Structures are given as C-alpha cells and as structure tokens.
Amino acid sequence: MSVIAPEVATRAFVEVTEVWVPDGDRLVWSSGNYGTLDTFAAVSAKQSFARGEGLPGRAWDEARPVVLKQFDGSYFQRAEAARAAGLTCAVAVPIFAGSALKAVIVVLCADDESRTGAIEVWRESDGLMMLDDGYYGAARHFEWVSQHTHFPRGQGLPGGVWAANAPMLMRDLGSGYRFIRAESAGRAGLTTGLGLPITVPGDRTYVLTLLSARGTPIAQRFELWNARAAGTAGAREAVLADGICQREGPLWDDENEARVAAWQGPIGEVLGTGIPAVKHDNPALTAGYASMVAVPIYRDGTISHVVAWYY
C-alpha cells in the first residue's frame, strides 16, 4: 500500500476510455467515459467494427496491442469526429481468454506541450523485452530513452511483469532503483508505473505499461486485485493485493482484508462478466472518485487479477 500526498492535476493524460465487445462477427460499444466530448461519444456509440476494421477491429484481427499516433490518412474510422474533439492518438488493447476475444479497450489522448505520461507496448524478442510502440505526450526525452532500452526477464517494470506473468505497480519512478529509466522518468515528472501482462493467442508475449505524472495523471488511484489469492475456483472472489493513491488516507484496513465477490460492486462486476468496464458518475465508486476503469487479467483462460484505476 502507498499513499502519495495530493497534488492538483491540470489535465488528464487520457481523454477517452472505451470498451468494445464481440457481438457475432462485429465489435459493439459496451462502456466508456468521454468526459465533456459528447459529440464524439454519440458518434462512437453508433459504431461497430468487423474483424480488421477500424482500430478496435485491427487489434482483434492482429491479436496484439496497437498504437495509432496519427488519425489522418489512417484506418481510424472516426477521424473527423476525433479531430473535432481535439483527439490525436489512440491505443487499442485486446483482452483474450485463451483464444476467445473478450473485449478491446481503446484509450484516446490529445497531444499538447504540457501533458506528460506514457502508454507503452513491450514485446518479447530474442529473450528481451523490446519497445514495440508507445505514446508519451510531451515526454520526448523519455520516449527516446525508452526506444533505446531493453529489459531481460525480471528486470525493470516490463521485465518484472514478464517474469511474474502478473500485473505490477511501481512507485517513485524518478528515484526508485528498480525502475531502470529512473533518471529520465524524474526529468519527465513521471511518478507511478502500472504494468499489465497482455495475453494473446500463440506464443507472443506483450506487456502494457501505463506511466503516470502528477500534473497530468493517467489516474489518481491504482488497485491490483488478486483473484487466485482468494482461494476459490472460477475467480468468484478477489482480494486487494496492492494499490497506490494520491489522496490522504489508507487504501485498506490492515486488520480486515479487502475482498469482493463476483457481481459485488464494479470490481465484482468484472469478475462476474469477465469483460472490462468503464464507470463514470457511479455512486458505487470507491472514495468518491468520478470515474474508473477495471480490467480483467487472464491466465490459462481464467481471470487471475483485476486491475483498476480511478480518476
């Protein structure tokens, strides 16, 4: 558990988060948070994507996370609406249970000179984790360092997630000895790192990392829920295993284990449905946060963890 002193955020690093789920041979909208971008939200809710079509369909077809840094002239089908909303780039992450696609998560960002953070996709190649692609906002030097850094198994955040085959949180990125890029992270103002194993069919290994800065955070609270630690088959329960919060106060009571059952609150909903969820203006959210994203992590076809972030 870690609690970080609160700091006033300027603008969020991620503007839009949405979830697309299979419905027959197409992906349809399931949930999302668009902030004040009502027109883009209305356009998105009417969309659907065949396999290989648009950004969600591309992530489905290629069975890998996809980073799209420019919409103009690309296969992104909502380019005009995105341009009108000030959105400039997107990352799509497929969630598979074995060979079955459960959902595609898409996050969209707006580029300017103040927003700093990182959404990175790492891929195992020849026994090392290499940067496949990423979006860094204004953190240009950190982007260059990342492009020239690789990780053996167990080293750094990407290598640690790879070795554990489990999500991980890292704190104090600018000063932490475990974070290999600490010096450049400190220069960029990055403070918190979340790493997720992305399971896809076949023998490819991917890790998604979300690196958050205080001034333009990806989230203000992160939680890791361990479904296997609950000791029940079929991911019917999960226990809170780790977390970081920028607000004062503890994440949990050390004398009473934080535990949720399937269908109990937003985390339990993800355990029950097996698909990611985006919640906004929901009274059931933890500690009065306005929005959250909860993502199931699959291992051997079943949920091993649920990762949540709040903002």
Side-chain angles (χ1 to χ4, degrees):
M1 177 192 70
S2 177
V3 177
I4 301 173
E7 181 171 322
V8 176
T10 53
R11 302 185 69 185
F13 187 68
V14 174
E15 291 278 354
V16 171
T17 305
E18 53 189 19
V19 176
W20 301 84
V21 297
D23 183 7
D25 59 356
R26 301 189 71 83
L27 291 171
V28 298
W29 188 91
S30 173
S31 62
N33 181 13
Y34 298 84
T36 60
L37 304 179
D38 295 338
T39 300
F40 186 74
V43 170
S44 301
K46 296 176 183 178
Q47 290 282 131
S48 66
F49 300 95
R51 186 166 184 158
E53 185 179 43
L55 180 58
R58 180 68 64 96
W60 178 14
D61 186 53
E62 297 184 3
R64 66 178 182 91
V66 177
V67 179
L68 186 59
K69 297 180 182 178
Q70 181 176 327
F71 296 151
D72 291 342
S74 74
Y75 49 83
F76 192 79
Q77 295 196 347
R78 296 170 284 166
E80 183 176 348
R83 189 183 309 112
L87 302 170
T88 57
C89 57
V91 181
V93 181
I95 304 297
F96 283 91
S99 61
L101 180 75
K102 303 296 287 186
V104 175
I105 303 169
V106 177
V107 298
L108 298 101
C109 302
D111 199 15
D112 59 38
E113 292 305 313
S114 65
R115 273 186 267 208
T116 297
I119 303 173
E120 303 175 314
V121 177
W122 298 84
R123 181 180 177 183
E124 185 275 330
S125 178
D126 296 327
L128 295 170
M129 269 292 162
M130 312 290 290
L131 184 67
D132 190 65
D133 208 344
Y135 171 67
Y136 297 84
R140 307 300 184 196
H141 180 263
F142 185 77
E143 179 177 10
W144 183 90
V145 169
S146 301
Q147 291 168 344
H148 294 82
T149 303
H150 54 265
F151 296 93
R153 190 181 185 94
Q155 186 178 73
L157 183 56
V161 172
W162 177 24
N165 194 21
M168 292 180 60
L169 281 167
M170 277 194 176
R171 304 152 172 82
D172 304 321
L173 298 186
S175 58
Y177 70 94
R178 295 173 60 204
F179 194 72
I180 306 304
R181 297 168 285 166
E183 181 179 355
S184 55
R187 291 173 57 182
L190 301 172
T191 59
T192 304
L194 170 65
L196 311 177
I198 303 300
T199 302
V200 298
D203 58 358
R204 296 169 298 165
T205 300
Y206 290 97
V207 170
L208 178 74
T209 55
L210 306 178
L211 309 180
S212 189
R214 295 265 185 95
T216 54
I218 290 176
Q220 296 189 12
R221 178 187 179 104
F222 296 91
E223 295 175 346
L224 301 185
W225 294 81
N226 190 334
R228 297 195 167 189
T232 57
R236 306 310 299 172
E237 286 189 322
V239 296
L240 184 58
D242 200 1
I244 296 175
C245 181
Q246 289 193 25
R247 295 184 180 180
E248 295 289 353
L251 279 164
W252 65 80
D253 180 352
D254 290 334
E255 295 183 359
N256 297 288
E257 185 177 56
R259 181 183 292 255
V260 296
W263 305 105
Q264 179 186 357
I267 302 299
E269 179 182 326
V270 172
L271 284 173
T273 63
I275 65 173
V278 179
K279 300 293 184 181
H280 182 60
D281 290 336
N282 188 316
L285 294 186
T286 297
Y289 287 93
S291 306
M292 74 169 293
V293 180
V295 180
I297 305 297
Y298 283 87
R299 185 190 300 174
D300 301 326
T302 61
I303 296 175
S304 64
H305 296 80
V306 175
V307 177
W309 55 94
Y310 301 77
Y311 48 100

